[in-house]
Amino acid sequence: MKQKVVQYIAGYITELEQPEIEKLLEIPPKPEMGDFAFPCFRLAKVYRKAPQMIAEDLKNKMEPADFLSSVENAGGYLNFYVNKEQFAKQMILAASADNFGSSKEGEGKTICIDYSSPNVAKNFHVGHLRTTIIGNSIYKIFSKMGYHVERINHLGDWGTQFGKLIVAYKNWGNKEEIEKDGVAALMRIYVKFHAEAEKDDSLNDEARAWFVKMEQGDEEALSIWQWFKDISLIEYKRTYKLLGMEFDSYHGESFYRDKTGAVVDALKEKDLLVESEGAFIVPLDEYNMAPCLIMKKDGSSIYATRDLAAAIYRKNTYDFSKCIYVTGNEQKLHFAQFFKVLELMGNEWSKDMVHVPYGLVSLEGGKLSTRSGNIIYAEDILRESISKIREIIEEKNPNLPDKDEVAQIVGIGAILFNDLYNQRIKDVSFTWEKILNFDGETGPYVQYTYARAASVLRKAGVATVDEDIDYSVLTDEASMNLLKEISRYPVVVKDASEKLEPFIVSRFAMAVAQAFNKFYHDCQINVEDEAVKKARLKVVVLTKHVLKDALSLLGIGCPEQM
Ligand code: ARG
């Protein structure tokens, strides 16, 4: 319908190309203002006339068309009121397509996305939960746009901290305790190391020596390190399973340990490396950045060196069209530095590197049952959310089948939805009351709306409805509004992919859910009149489908009953 309006306008304005007209054409905020609005301000210069006059002239010139019921001039805007029945039909047909919302944009292209990436022997905390949730959603959105996406978990499994851990383990570690308590036990000895090293600096030298041994392939050092890693992965994978998320690669920092040498050589060859107090750096003051440290005094590599090696490896392995990194905003400088070094090395593809930062998460009031002190494990938050939802179900709907499964989907969904409901860069804080509220702007509200649609269809005994319906039934305000919301889906997915912003999808899901609940309230569905019933059931089918699809892009599931 939009295309029809664009073509129609183009017939009267030769000064603008069709794509320009399309860009200018707006969807008014209120239905009283028409279905589409064309602002005439841009034309004022060309015609040397006030926008209001231009709009008036155009309006008078425009011939009636069968798809238009009227055109009005409102303060410099041309408001188009389209034939509602035809509009409803077109929206229904579009939304009924199997691939509604999908695109072929990414066909034949690969995107690498590096996210989650927890640090071995450290807990998987709420910050890592956020990169996991955002990264997973970006993966889903790009897949919907037709891209092949490689999900990479760049584990923090290499670095001097492992030298410290080995020293700590040798001095104060206990095998059984670590087997039993996992990461929590490793964190305890790590803390102990720092306390002891305050008093005795030689521990730090020992730690550095152990890390150098690791880099040189020492068997003992590597076997202890591998054990720490295995223990940590068991816990991380438990969290991923709870979230229903997977990765294509777990190549972490350690995978690049034999690939950093080549990076250092290339930097030397390009004359980019400068010695500074025994260490090697790439100076970046020309670009207003601190230097990028490449090699330490003792010859060991660091985070940035491994990231350089990883980027080059990924380009060679996947030939990505984009390589995305999802981390907290505090790593902004790190990414800017290493992207710049890639560029200085002459990699023209460095322009395809994208850092996607996000803000902090906090719990208002801070009341959370944690397993050890103040350290908040993501897994604990997820489990607490599930158990709170389980209680609500027990209270409100004790006869619901599959209560545990529903509690899991809704409990996880509540956390994910809250994390994805605002621009990434904004800090997220939450209270349980807020995110678990079935009437608020929450995951449970959207899921509940989905379950309501499912229940309507169950009661009517239908799963799908064909397109042979009386479209005049759907010209009322609530139905038209709902259809317009649903129709935005393809544009929403594209926009979210371009801006790397899942909140565009979560806001869309919320808008559809709200419009559906208004429709449900205003338009009785289970009526005698078969034509009315069928048309409305069709709208329910489409709503149900698009809600499920949109929530899936956020990593959220939909129970059929709640
Ligand atoms: N392990 C890092 C952290 O927890 C995140 C790694 C992000 N990815 C990367 N290629 N640097 O902060």
Side-chain angles (χ1 to χ4, degrees), residues 114 116-119 128 154-156 253 303 307 314 325-327 331 334-335 338:
D114 172 322
S116 197
S117 311
N119 297 319
H128 286 123
H154 187 79
L155 292 173
E253 294 186 44
Y303 187 48
D307 254 333
R314 286 173 197 170
Y325 298 80
V326 187
T327 79
Q331 294 197 37
H334 162 73
F335 286 99
F338 109 74

Side-chain angles (χ1 to χ4, degrees), residues 385 407-418 442-444 447 555-557:
S385 185
Q408 167 141 353
I409 300 173
V410 179
I412 300 276
I415 302 271
L416 268 57
F417 198 85
N418 182 61
T442 62
Q447 288 169 319
I556 300 175

